[in-house]
Amino acid sequence: QSVLTQPPSVSAAPGQKVTISCSGSNSNIGNNYVSWYQQLPGTAPKLLIYDNNKRPSGIPDRFSGSKSGTSATLGIAALQTGDEADYYCGTWDSSLSAGVFGGGTKLTVL
Amino acid sequence: QLQLQESGPGVVKPSETLSLTCTVSGVSITTSSYYWDWIRQPPGKELEWIGSIYYSGNTYYSPSLKSRVTMSVDTSKNQFSLKLSSVTAADTAVYYCARRYVTRYFDFWGQGSLVTVSS
């Protein structure tokens, strides 16, 4: 059972937009920055969004992040088949003094 | 170009100790504000944070693994290491090393090392 809660799967057609939610508590999302990671099949996770809503160099602006209270959301616009991957949210839990991840969300681009 | 590379045995016997090393290249492991972490992923499952070490030797461990985990750092070799004792089949996973900026995000990851616990 992951500390952060994500939907197991989401799907949408190419060109559409999808959002992935990540729910936590005051000890983690509520008081710490959220990051998002994309894991393509058979590869290591890759940083997609950091500090709630910032994109590393090289990440297209189709990817966006937001945070409100104890929840965060990843948005992916203009979906491409190459976006099919597992997406994870992550943050620090101040009560546990530990890093925590969501259970991951599998994105299918139909 | 910053790179992290995990190394260690691919198979460990039950009840023995899993040992992995992460070699960092392209940046000093003593860079301020960056921590060096281990994360694992059982086949077909989610990411699980294992622990973190700062170049000074300060460590943070997952509460669920704390009794079995030891992390160390060798600044002269620009490496950090993980030891997980008393392993069982449940410890079979791909083990990743990663760099973390304070408590905020993991910006660089190793390619991962599959460790199978089997007799």
Side-chain angles (χ1 to χ4, degrees), chain B residues 3 15 21 25 28 30 34 49 55 58 60-63 65 69 74-76 78 82 85 89-90 107 111-112 118:
Chain B
Q3 290 187 321
S15 81
T21 295
S25 59
S28 172
T30 63
Y34 285 95
W49 182 79
Y55 75 89
N58 285 353
Y60 297 89
Y61 298 144
S62 165
L65 296 171
V69 171
D74 187 335
T75 57
S76 67
N78 227 37
L82 168 71
S85 64
D107 57 354
Q111 64 184 28
S118 173

Side-chain angles (χ1 to χ4, degrees), chain B residues 7-49:
Chain B
S7 59
V11 180
V12 181
K13 289 182 169 55
S15 81
E16 295 191 344
T17 296
L18 178 159
S19 296
L20 291 171
T21 295
C22 183
T23 301
V24 180
S25 59
V27 72
S28 172
I29 205 168
T30 63
T31 303
S32 177
S33 302
Y34 285 95
Y35 289 73
W36 304 92
D37 289 37
W38 289 98
I39 296 149
R40 69 180 182 178
Q41 185 172 37
K45 296 190 176 181
E46 66 265 31
L47 301 171
E48 179 184 17
W49 182 79

Side-chain angles (χ1 to χ4, degrees), chain B residues 41-102:
Chain B
Q41 185 172 37
K45 296 190 176 181
E46 66 265 31
L47 301 171
E48 179 184 17
W49 182 79
I50 298 171
S52 175
I53 190 164
Y54 197 59
Y55 75 89
S56 61
N58 285 353
T59 54
Y60 297 89
Y61 298 144
S62 165
S64 64
L65 296 171
K66 188 172 185 175
S67 63
R68 298 194 291 131
V69 171
T70 303
M71 294 179 64
S72 60
V73 62
D74 187 335
T75 57
S76 67
K77 294 182 179 179
N78 227 37
Q79 294 176 333
F80 63 105
S81 298
L82 168 71
K83 291 188 185 298
L84 181 65
S85 64
S86 305
V87 298
T88 69
D91 294 310
T92 293
V94 174
Y95 286 75
Y96 296 101
C97 58
R99 186 179 82 159
R100 177 168 56 88
Y101 180 62
V102 285

Side-chain angles (χ1 to χ4, degrees), chain A residues 1-87:
Chain A
Q1 189 83 7
S2 301
V3 172
L4 306 180
T5 301
Q6 296 181 235
S9 63
V10 295
S11 62
Q16 298 294 307
K17 178 176 180 177
V18 70
T19 60
I20 298 172
S21 61
C22 175
S23 178
S25 66
N26 283 328
S27 65
N28 43 67
I29 292 178
N31 284 284
N32 290 285
Y33 288 102
V34 176
S35 52
W36 289 90
Y37 304 88
Q38 177 192 59
Q39 187 176 33
L40 296 169
T43 69
K46 172 186 172 182
L47 180 63
L48 206 57
I49 296 289
Y50 68 98
D51 289 357
N52 304 331
N53 56 17
K54 297 180 174 62
R55 286 176 287 106
S57 173
I59 301 299
D61 59 6
R62 300 188 298 108
F63 295 90
S64 62
S66 64
K67 180 184 123 172
S68 178
T70 59
S71 293
T73 301
L74 172 69
I76 309 173
L79 279 170
Q80 302 173 0
T81 56
D83 295 332
E84 286 201 335
D86 293 324
Y87 292 85

